[in-house]
């Protein structure tokens, strides 16, 4: 008689009443399931791991099909993510599966920024969903959800411990996505080494505070199997799409001179466990955790970054409208301020330039005045010169006139004198 | 950097196991439990409470928890009763919202307003819960379905019925029911139904529509139901023995009207449709259509308000909003617009400024050149005058010289003559 979440929420205010017959709402889960099946499911897996750890092969093996892609080389300059979406169908269940692979992870000399493209990718999917959720006219029920539901982290089968790149990357990812660490190509490790390796890995994860995905144990129908599986983490897997005849069956296996590793043999590797947990038992829980935990965390951080709060300083809850209006007022105020600032700046410049120009004008005026004075001086000089010349000319003229007059008189007198002398001679 | 490939169908060569997903979903939904809010609207005495009790085979309204009809109301109230019922491991939190007093007054204008307010307030609660920064599991108290009870007059819809449905059909899934169907003969009922459906169509009222399915069987069933709309129902709290069977029914001197008998009334159809087959669809339509309409109207109002307030500053803000974005994205776009407009304005102002400065400088230069030219001119003039004076002086000197020469000769002659 476990109480459901609804019942817990109801609390007081709802009383339990007995039913006098079969009403029929026990078909609700079926109705819900029918709707989901009609709508189709979607699941997105991210595979993180160094080049050559068998990521693509494992995906092919898990989903019993050959996905796209050629093996990548080791010479990638940075980490990029390549994703492919496939539409799969099994009985009446349609699944839109997106497989995202990291290309070039671990190949660079300097791996400090390797985790960044992965984190950016995961955040971008959250952001896309958040934007859709915030739209005014939105279509959430037909939105193609691209958020990553599970991250398979491929650990290289060194047999010793985790690489520092692994620890750094997983630490950056553990609050954003459900991490399921797996030991890749585990047919390179012997059973005893593997046990030690698993213990070492788990203890390193714990001591570094990395939160990996735990299979849920709160639902009784799956609690037992999930808790057993939790103790087998990380899963040591082998992938293969080639088939070998064992007994009278064709099984997926890898053939070595010393024996054949059967993928689906639980003694050989944990592949079956991984498939069971990832797909058959907990797929829905992985989707739910992504939505209710990781996405909510991203959303909360993003909204807080943008300045949204749930309560004002007096602890009264904000309504959505108030929040948006406040934001909008702030925004408008900002724009106005910017406008004002720009105008002010221009006013300032104009003032400065005006002052400059006034200075130049003043200088020019002064120059003009100087030249004018100079010119006047020169003019005066010329005038003086002219005047003195005129005076001289006048004087000369006077002198000349006076001299001529004298001469005339003298001549006349001389003439008369001459006449007198002549007359005297004659006498 | 990441690239998305195209979607391709793939064939599986072997059992993978995700066909188990539906079971996982089933499990989780049972664990979560379900909730459903149902509203009943109609005049007093139409048998609403009895119908609810019959639908859910329980005494929702009992002597301890009397139904609203037993309490006298002066104005229209909206009351909710919450019960928790369990069946086959599935828990359902059922909320029945009743509207006592509806249509009972002499003047019933606006008696639908409390109903509209209630529905809107539930949408508002959900919207606020959905928009919080810290979101918990959100209780969903939105009204998923409204059963509207039509009095069995036999003559078509009353003006109040039409008015109510017109105002509510875009806020909630309306399922019109003919109450107390045992007061009409099948033929009368048939006519009445036709009349009602015609009036509903004429007034363009959109009642809840059953979704189309690809399944042929289902479609046949849906068609059968559609032909019998609106459903005529009878409810009963008493169990009577008929032909050895214990059934719910109403005992008359002339026989027993059985609630669950398909030939007597459409109750079974209603129950099957409401609870057993279409409960999820009612939820979906409410969530995807009615709630989204409310939300987009509410949010559009927010942005329009903001837009109007800034008109005073004029040209620099975008007046239209695009519904395809969140209000925040709109603000982002407005910001970008504003930045580019400011840039343009700045450029223009810069241009004007430069031009004016150039003009002024040019003027200054021209003045200076003019000044220079005049000065040159003046200088030339003065020089010419100087030269002229020099020339005159020279001539004068010459003249003077020659005259003085002459004078000296004359003097000399005179001197010679007087010897």
């Amino acid at each position: 008689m476990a109480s459901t979440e609804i019942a817990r929420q109801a609390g007081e205010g709802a009383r339990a009443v007995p039913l006098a017959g079969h009403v029929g709402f026990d078909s609700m889960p079926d109705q819900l399931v029918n709707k989901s099946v009609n709508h189709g499911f979607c699941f997105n897996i991210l595979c993180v791991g160094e080049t050559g750890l068998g990521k693509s092969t494992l995906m092919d093996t898990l989903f019993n099909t050959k996905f796209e892609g050629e093996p990548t080389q080791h010479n990638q300059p940075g980490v990029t993510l390549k994703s492919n979406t496939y539409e799969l169908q099994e009985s009446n269940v349609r699944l839109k599966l997106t497989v995202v692979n990291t290309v070039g992870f671990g190949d660079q000399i300097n791996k400090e920024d390797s985790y960044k493209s992965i984190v950016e990718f995961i955040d971008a999917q959250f952001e896309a969903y958040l934007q859709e959720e915030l739209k005014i006219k939105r279509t959430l029920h037909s939105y193609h959800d691209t958020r990553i539901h599970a991250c398979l982290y491929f650990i290289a089968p060194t047999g010793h411990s985790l690489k520092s790149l692994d620890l750094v990357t997983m630490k950056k990812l553990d609050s954003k996505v459900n991490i399921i660490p797996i030991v890749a190509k585990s047919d390179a490790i012997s059973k005893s080494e593997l046990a030690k390796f698993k213990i070492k890995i788990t203890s390193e994860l714990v001591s570094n505070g990395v939160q990996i995905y735990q299979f849920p144990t709160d639902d009784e129908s799956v609690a037992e199997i999930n808790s057993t599986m939790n103790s087998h983490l990380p899963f040591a897997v082998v992938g293969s799409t080639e088939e070998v005849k064992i007994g009278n069956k064709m099984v997926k296996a890898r053939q070595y001179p010393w024996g054949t590793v059967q993928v689906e043999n639980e003694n050989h590797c944990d592949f079956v466990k991984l498939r069971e947990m990832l797909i058959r038992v907990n797929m829905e829980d992985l989707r739910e955790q992504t939505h209710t935990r990781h996405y909510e965390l991203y959303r909360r951080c993003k909204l807080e970054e943008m300045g949204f709060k749930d309560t004002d300083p007096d602890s009264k809850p904000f309504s959505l409208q108030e929040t948006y209006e406040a934001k909008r007022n702030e925004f408008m105020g900002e724009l106005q301020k910017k406008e004002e600032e720009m105008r002010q700046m221009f006013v300032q410049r104009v003032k400065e330039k005006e002052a400059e120009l006034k200075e130049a004008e003043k200088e020019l005026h002064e120059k003009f005045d100087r030249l004018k004075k100079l010119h006047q001086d020169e003019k005066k000089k010329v005038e003086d010169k002219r005047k003195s010349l005129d005076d001289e000319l006048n004087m000369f003229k006077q002198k000349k006139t006076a001299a001529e007059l004298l001469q005339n008189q003298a001549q006349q007198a001389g003439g008369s004198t001459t006449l007198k002398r002549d007359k005297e001679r004659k006498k | 950097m990441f690239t998305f490939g195209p979607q391709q169908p793939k064939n599986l060569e072997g059992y993978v196991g995700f066909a188990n997903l539906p079971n996982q979903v089933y499990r989780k939904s049972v664990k979560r439990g379900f909730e459903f809010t149902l509203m009943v609207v109609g005049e007093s005495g139409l048998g609403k409470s009895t119908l609810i009790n019959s639908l859910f085979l329980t005494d929702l309204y009992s002597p301890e928890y009397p139904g609203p009809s037993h309490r006298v109301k002066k104005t229209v109230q909206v009351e909710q009763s919450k019960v928790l019922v369990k069946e086959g491991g599935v828990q359902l939190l059922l909320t029945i919202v009743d509207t006592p007093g509806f249509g009972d007054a002499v003047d019933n204008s606006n008696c639908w307003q409390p109903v509209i307010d209630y529905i809107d307030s539930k949408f508002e609660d959900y919207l606020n819960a959905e928009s919080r920064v810290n979101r918990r599991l959100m209780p969903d108290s939105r009204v998923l379905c409204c059963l509207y009870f039509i009095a069995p007059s036999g003559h078509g819809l009353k003006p109040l019925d039409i008015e109510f449905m017109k105002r509510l059909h875009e806020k909630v899934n309306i399922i019109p029911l003919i109450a107390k169907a045992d007061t009409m003969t099948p033929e009368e009922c048939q006519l009445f139904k036709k009349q009602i459906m015609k009036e509903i169509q004429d007034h363009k009222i959109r009642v809840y529509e059953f979704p189309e399915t690809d399944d042929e069987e289902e479609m046949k069933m849906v068609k059968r139901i559609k032909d019998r709309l609106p459903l005529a129902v009878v409810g009963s709290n008493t169990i009577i023995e008929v032909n050895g069977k214990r059934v719910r029914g109403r005992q008359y001197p002339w026989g027993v009207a059985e609630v669950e008998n398909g030939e007597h009334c459409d109750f079974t159809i209603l129950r099957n449709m409401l609870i057993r087959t279409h409960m999820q669809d009612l939820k979906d339509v409410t969530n995807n259509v009615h709630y989204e309409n409310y939300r987009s109207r509410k949010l559009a109002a927010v942005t329009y308000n903001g837009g109007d307030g800034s008109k005073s500053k004029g040209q620099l803000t975008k007046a239209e909003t695009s519904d395809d974005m969140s209000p925040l994205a709109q603000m982002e776009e407005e910001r970008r617009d504003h930045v580019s407009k400011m840039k343009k304005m700045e450029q223009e102002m810069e241009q004007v400024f430069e031009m004016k400065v150039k003009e002024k400088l040019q003027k200054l230069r021209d003045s200076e050149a003019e000044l220079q030219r005049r000065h040159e001119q003046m200088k030339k003039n003065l020089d010419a005058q100087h030269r002229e004076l020099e020339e005159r002086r020279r001539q004068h000197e010459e003249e003077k010289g020659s005259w003085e020469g002459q004078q000296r000769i004359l003097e000399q002659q005179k001197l010679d003559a007087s010897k």
Side-chain angles (χ1 to χ4, degrees), chain A residues 309-323:
Chain A
K309 288 193 293 285
D310 273 337
T311 57
D312 65 10
D314 302 318
S315 282
K316 272 197 299 162
F318 274 144
S319 82
L320 183 68
Q321 196 151 359
E322 285 175 10
T323 312

Side-chain angles (χ1 to χ4, degrees), chain A residues 60 65 83 102 106 108 124 153 182 193 227 237 246 284 314 350 363 388 400 412:
Chain A
D60 290 347
T65 185
S83 99
T102 53
Q108 297 80 31
Y153 195 92
I182 55 183
E193 282 173 351
S227 59
V237 294
I246 303 280
E284 183 61 23
D314 302 318
V350 165
E363 270 181 33
S388 79
K400 197 171 166 188
Q412 272 184 353

